[in-house]
Amino acid sequence: DQQVKQNSPSLSVQEGRISILNCDYTNSMFDYFLWYKKYPAEGPTFLISISSIKDKNEDGRFTVFLNKSAKHLSLHIVPSQPGDSAVYFCAARGIQTGANNLFFGTGTRLTVIP
Amino acid sequence: DGGITQSPKYLFRKEGQNVTLSCEQNLNHDAMYWYRQDPGQGLRLIYYSQIVNDFQKGDIAEGYSVSREKKESFPLTVTSAQKNPTAFYLCASSISGRDYGYTFGSGTRLTVV
């Protein structure tokens, strides 16, 4: 059962516009959320994270919003650049004794059109 | 520079042969993980290890085996029992703390013919 879901497999955005990537989760015990960016044939790299005690975290062009009541988070990229074209994975971690596991979504492929 | 190294980047094996994928990290991380990526499936956890000489099955451990004899190393063996071994395999490591994410290797693409 997929506990972290990214329902949009792909997204295309014009350069300079905003990209919004969405993620939903089902486990109310998740308390820490991360976004990873992945280029083809490479490992994912950490992008930005947010704790459940916050509803927003910003790092340069990247902002993550968390809506706990809706079990939804989103990643905003403003302005979008061609180098942002990649697959973005949402991940979540829960309160699990003795474990340190991240649950990943299926990813959204972002294409930024020059 | 500290990092996590997976080798080889591409690996071809005949059906029925066991194959071992290497994962080495010099980040002094306690925890290490193996994930498998298939198209449209995201990242699925195969095995993880929180400390040396201990490891746990993930969601899709059948047909795989691991060892953790050293903190730096977490090799994954894909056995002949794995029904669909062709995939992109990712190794990751992390500090065993609450607020840290993973550092990933660059992956190994295994093709079984």
Side-chain angles (χ1 to χ4, degrees), chain A residues 2 31-32 34 36 38 41-46 51 87 89 93-96 98-107, chain B residues 9-10 31 33 35 37 40-43 45 48 50 88 90 94-107:
Chain A
Q2 192 76 24
D31 65 348
Y32 196 71
L34 308 92
Y36 281 82
K38 183 182 181 300
E42 294 183 9
T45 55
F46 170 74
S51 166
V87 177
F89 288 98
R93 166 182 290 155
I95 303 172
Q96 297 173 341
N100 198 37
N101 300 338
L102 290 178
F103 293 85
F104 285 88
T106 52
Chain B
K9 197 168 182 67
Y10 299 96
Y33 312 81
Y35 283 87
Q37 186 189 13
Q41 295 267 11
L43 303 178
L45 182 65
Y48 65 98
Q50 300 289 317
F88 187 59
L90 285 162
S94 73
I95 298 172
S96 290
R98 293 288 302 135
D99 293 330
Y100 290 90
Y102 294 176
T103 299
F104 280 89
S106 56

Side-chain angles (χ1 to χ4, degrees), chain B residues 42-61:
Chain B
L43 303 178
R44 292 185 292 167
L45 182 65
I46 304 173
Y47 267 99
Y48 65 98
S49 168
Q50 300 289 317
I51 57 172
V52 174
N53 292 322
D54 186 56
F55 48 83
Q56 308 294 329
K57 292 182 179 180
D59 300 323
I60 54 166

Side-chain angles (χ1 to χ4, degrees), chain A residues 57-76:
Chain A
N57 188 28
E58 194 171 353
D59 183 3
R61 297 187 296 115
F62 303 91
T63 303
V64 57
F65 295 92
L66 175 62
N67 182 335
K68 283 189 294 181
S69 61
K71 294 192 180 67
H72 177 83
L73 66 156
S74 60
L75 174 68
H76 293 210

